[in-house]
Amino acid sequence: MSETTPNPTSLPQSVLVVDIGTIHTRVCLFEIRAEKYRFIGSASARTTHLDHERSEFVGVAAAIRKLEKSAKKKILDLDGNILLPMRTDWSGIDQAAVSYTCTADPAIAILGVSEAGSLPALRGLCSRVGTTPILECALDDGYSTARQLDRLASAAPRIIVFAGGTENGARKAVYRVGETIRLYCQSLPREQRPRLLFLGNSETRLEIERVFSKIADISFGSNVLESEPLGDDALNCLLKTMRRDAALRAPGFETLRKQTGASFIPGEFAFGRSVRLLSRLIRKHQVVLGVNIGADQTLVAQAMDLRLNLKTIPIGLGSTLPQLLTESDAETIQSHVDFQIKRSEIRDYVLNKSLYPELVPANQYAAEIENALKQELIRIALRRAKYFKLAASGRLSTILLTGSGLRNVDDPGASLRAAMNAIRPLGAVDYLLDINGLAAVIGTIMHVNPTLAAQIMDSSTYLNLGKIIRPQIQDASLFTRKNAPPLVVSVKNTHGDKKEYILPYGEIYRIPLNYGQNYQLEWVSIPRGVETPGLKPFLPFGFKSGSFGLIFDLRDERKETEKDRVAQIERLRLEKKQLGDWRVGEGGRQDG
């Protein structure tokens, strides 16, 4: 009898997805049941990347052993190796995909012929994998060769990506760029030389290969100036170069690759790919914003019609958290907390969290402080990514909240409040929470098993927190006038039942609705000076209800800057009460 069982379809029957994070390693298992992939289970264990006595594979194996118990399926053999492919007793797996964020930034330098041609193309390529070059050099940037060498020596890149010249274009200029890199590489010991990736004029490849093959590790890809905007050849070459660099710093990667044959992609790229895929599923010309709060960094991704803009902000809820106090201050964080607390206590919490990032809040007070930190992290990340104009445009339709910092909460409303307060988008926006941590899984598996990725997206991948509508109230007197004309809306369900609501200014007004059902909103009365970007007031607006139903954010922004702590605390507690508990069902206003 054969050791393996033939698959009834050409698709892998069992797929393992591994995410090696900074603090935890997470594994997810999917299997085909009734001709469709089903999520079987997940488990996590502490990452062993920073443990110099053990490889990263030890943490992966520990997570898999936990998964074996919960899924009641054997994946490792007696020696702790992954069984691949599946055996006749249905033990083992058929396919694996791996993402990682445990290694530090790859420190990429980009060099090109011109600041107007090569550099923007290389910069855009780096942005697709969520990294920002630590150094940019061009022949026409005004620096001498000696100065360029000094800049390279000061930056000490681990990877150098260089390009230049269209096909049948410049050759001598490309050689001059290569000469600078050659001089830099020869100034370093062999083991300290960076990995090189050439994405320039293919006619110069033979000469570039002849010069560099003996002095550095060099790879080649298609000309970045000739590639399609969404072309994948240059991108895949960059990902392979980054994986080889990461494998040098994480020896366990090679063990895992040999056992599974899996390709490795950066977790930042996996997250960006999930947001990009989500942009395909919503209306055309509408924007999806993704926020991922990790231990060492915060990712923000903006996608529309499959066009992605991904930024990595090096501040997270782990060792980099103290940097938050350089971007903000304890007083600002204090204004997000709904109980009396000293600024010194906030600073102490930040420092303690940076030393022990794996600790979870021990009580509701610690949870409130941490939620305030998340709110400030999102605000800083959007500011540094220059995404704040998006919030006022009315083009933002969906916000995806992901990362362990946002999903590991007792009440999803805490993450919703943090995002609402930090982003404050105008218009009608759906808030989605990646409560099962599948965003990274989708991006990781997409390049090896698109069928699985598509089927995950078709299911209820994310928790729909609700539709949040925030009108733009230009007439400030509406907040203070006693007889101000009201804003009135009606909501109709699929059975034709309709109910009108008078919305109070200056509050969060929630209309609880049945989760996952379709409703129709109509504007009954809109006062002068009130408009909602992205919505047409004379047309009914269809939407699907989330956990918090339909929410109108009619708060007065001027009150956000008040300095009276008693008033701040009273306002924050009132807003929490107005938002209420999640999934309370259909009915009138939820006040508690």
Side-chain angles (χ1 to χ4, degrees):
M1 179 181 292
S2 173
E3 183 185 8
T4 61
T5 181
N7 290 338
T9 69
S10 59
L11 293 174
Q13 297 293 287
S14 183
V15 181
L16 181 72
V17 185
V18 181
D19 178 27
I20 307 176
T22 305
I23 299 176
H24 294 102
T25 292
R26 189 165 180 268
V27 293
C28 298
L29 181 66
F30 298 86
E31 288 187 351
I32 288 184
R33 304 277 177 86
E35 300 183 355
K36 286 198 67 175
Y37 281 108
R38 305 294 182 193
F39 175 61
I40 305 302
S42 65
S44 63
R46 185 166 180 80
T47 296
T48 52
H49 171 64
L50 296 178
D51 188 340
H52 301 296
E53 297 181 356
R54 297 189 295 175
S55 78
E56 291 73 17
F57 186 75
V58 175
V60 174
I64 292 177
R65 289 189 182 95
K66 291 182 180 180
L67 178 62
E68 287 180 323
K69 293 180 180 179
S70 62
K72 295 181 174 57
K73 176 184 174 72
K74 189 174 181 58
I75 301 175
L76 300 175
D77 62 18
L78 296 177
D79 295 324
N81 299 316
I82 297 176
L83 295 169
L84 190 146
M86 284 180 63
R87 292 350 189 213
T88 53
D89 60 356
W90 300 100
S91 62
I93 60 170
D94 287 318
Q95 189 178 54
V98 183
S99 65
Y100 62 90
T101 55
C102 60
T103 58
D105 188 279
I108 297 176
I110 58 175
L111 280 77
V113 170
S114 68
E115 289 186 317
S118 310
L119 286 189
L122 292 175
R123 193 182 302 122
L125 180 65
C126 290
S127 70
R128 293 185 65 185
V129 297
T131 186
T132 301
I134 61 170
L135 178 66
E136 299 182 4
C137 298
L139 287 181
D140 59 358
D141 60 10
Y143 291 104
S144 65
T145 300
R147 179 57 179 153
Q148 298 285 37
L149 290 173
D150 288 341
R151 296 176 69 202
L152 281 167
S154 177
R158 297 183 61 86
I159 297 174
I160 294 179
V161 185
F162 63 114
T166 58
E167 296 302 303
N168 302 315
R171 299 181 65 178
K172 290 185 178 180
V174 177
Y175 293 146
R176 287 176 59 194
V177 173
E179 180 68 11
T180 301
I181 298 173
R182 182 185 69 82
L183 291 172
Y184 172 67
C185 289
Q186 289 180 329
S187 70
L188 299 172
R190 178 83 187 193
E191 62 274 7
Q192 296 180 13
R193 294 173 185 174
R195 292 181 177 275
L196 308 180
L197 174 61
F198 179 66
L199 302 174
N201 186 340
S202 62
E203 295 179 348
T204 63
R205 174 172 175 171
L206 288 177
E207 184 66 17
I208 294 291
E209 187 174 13
R210 183 187 67 81
V211 171
F212 284 100
S213 60
K214 295 181 180 179
I215 64 174
D217 185 329
I218 187 168
S219 303
F220 297 88
S222 61
N223 192 338
V224 72
L225 290 178
E226 301 287 345
S227 302
E228 294 291 329
L230 296 178
D232 287 337
D233 182 73
L235 176 64
N236 288 332
C237 289
L238 178 58
L239 290 173
K240 289 178 182 178
T241 303
M242 293 173 65
R243 178 184 60 79
R244 287 197 293 268
D245 173 71
L248 288 177
R249 292 177 285 166
F253 283 16
E254 188 64 18
T255 304
L256 187 58
R257 189 191 66 81
K258 287 180 178 179
Q259 291 196 23
T260 63
S263 58
F264 287 66
I265 62 173
E268 298 87 350
F269 176 66
F271 170 69
R273 176 169 272 182
S274 292
V275 175
R276 179 172 173 262
L277 181 60
L278 188 59
S279 72
R280 173 184 283 176
L281 304 180
I282 64 173
R283 299 193 307 273
K284 288 185 177 181
H285 312 310
Q286 295 294 303
V287 180
V288 176
L289 176 67
V291 178
N292 183 326
I293 298 180
D296 290 339
Q297 60 192 15
T298 298
L299 307 177
V300 285
Q302 173 187 327
M304 181 180 73
D305 301 333
L306 293 179
R307 297 193 301 273
L308 175 68
N309 190 352
L310 175 63
K311 300 289 185 181
T312 300
I313 311 302
I315 306 178
L317 282 174
S319 60
T320 57
L321 186 58
Q323 296 181 36
L324 180 69
L325 296 177
T326 64
E327 296 276 341
S328 183
D329 52 55
E331 182 181 6
T332 302
I333 299 171
Q334 181 190 51
S335 67
H336 306 325
V337 179
D338 68 353
F339 58 88
Q340 292 290 0
I341 184 174
K342 297 178 181 179
R343 298 169 194 172
S344 59
E345 292 179 293
I346 291 176
R347 286 189 286 267
D348 289 344
Y349 188 92
V350 168
L351 295 176
N352 190 60
K353 181 71 176 177
S354 69
L355 294 174
Y356 307 100
E358 70 278 5
L359 296 181
V360 297
N363 50 53
Q364 61 177 346
Y365 301 105
E368 192 68 21
I369 296 172
E370 196 150 311
N371 207 52
L373 296 175
K374 296 171 193 174
Q375 177 176 327
E376 199 63 14
L377 273 174
I378 296 174
R379 187 186 67 81
I380 290 172
L382 292 179
R383 186 186 68 202
R384 291 184 58 172
K386 300 179 181 179
Y387 284 175
F388 263 126
K389 290 184 179 179
L390 175 64
S393 67
R395 294 185 296 112
L396 182 57
S397 70
T398 305
I399 295 175
L400 173 62
L401 306 175
T402 184
S404 59
L406 289 169
R407 72 171 179 266
N408 292 338
V409 291
D410 292 333
D411 178 15
S415 295
L416 176 60
R417 283 189 291 110
M420 285 176 59
N421 294 335
I423 305 172
R424 290 291 181 88
L426 294 173
V429 180
D430 287 309
Y431 284 74
L432 307 179
L433 179 62
D434 182 21
I435 201 164
N436 293 313
L438 294 179
V441 172
I442 294 170
T444 304
I445 203 67
M446 183 65 191
H447 68 300
V448 295
N449 194 330
T451 301
L452 171 54
Q455 290 184 4
I456 298 175
M457 290 298 293
D458 285 343
S459 62
S460 300
T461 306
Y462 307 122
L463 175 66
N464 183 354
L465 295 175
K467 176 78 71 175
I468 317 294
I469 298 179
R470 181 171 172 248
Q472 185 174 23
I473 303 177
Q474 299 171 334
D475 185 359
S477 67
L478 292 174
F479 293 109
T480 57
R481 287 161 52 192
K482 290 184 178 180
N483 298 320
L487 177 61
V488 184
V489 299
S490 68
V491 177
K492 182 171 65 175
N493 61 23
T494 54
H495 302 294
D497 301 325
K498 182 187 292 187
K499 187 174 182 180
E500 288 192 0
Y501 300 89
I502 300 176
L503 309 180
Y505 300 110
E507 296 185 13
I508 295 176
Y509 189 90
R510 174 185 176 186
I511 303 174
L513 301 170
N514 290 331
Y515 182 83
Q517 292 193 8
N518 294 317
Y519 292 87
Q520 185 171 280
L521 171 71
E522 293 183 2
W523 303 91
V524 178
S525 175
I526 304 178
R528 186 184 300 274
V530 178
E531 62 179 33
T532 306
L535 294 183
K536 298 178 179 179
F538 51 85
L539 291 178
F541 175 68
F543 66 96
K544 180 171 288 189
S545 174
S547 298
F548 287 87
L550 176 64
I551 296 175
F552 286 88
D553 187 352
L554 303 173
R555 290 176 290 179
D556 185 357
E557 288 190 4
R558 295 173 300 176
K559 289 188 176 182
E560 298 298 312
T561 59
E562 61 190 359
K563 299 295 184 180
D564 184 356
R565 275 297 292 155
V566 175
Q568 283 179 350
I569 292 173
E570 183 180 352
R571 174 179 53 81
L572 291 171
R573 290 177 177 177
L574 178 61
E575 290 176 357
K576 188 185 295 187
K577 182 179 179 181
Q578 290 167 350
L579 188 61
D581 298 325
W582 65 307
R583 299 186 70 167
V584 296
E586 189 170 359
R589 178 174 181 177
Q590 175 68 19
D591 288 321

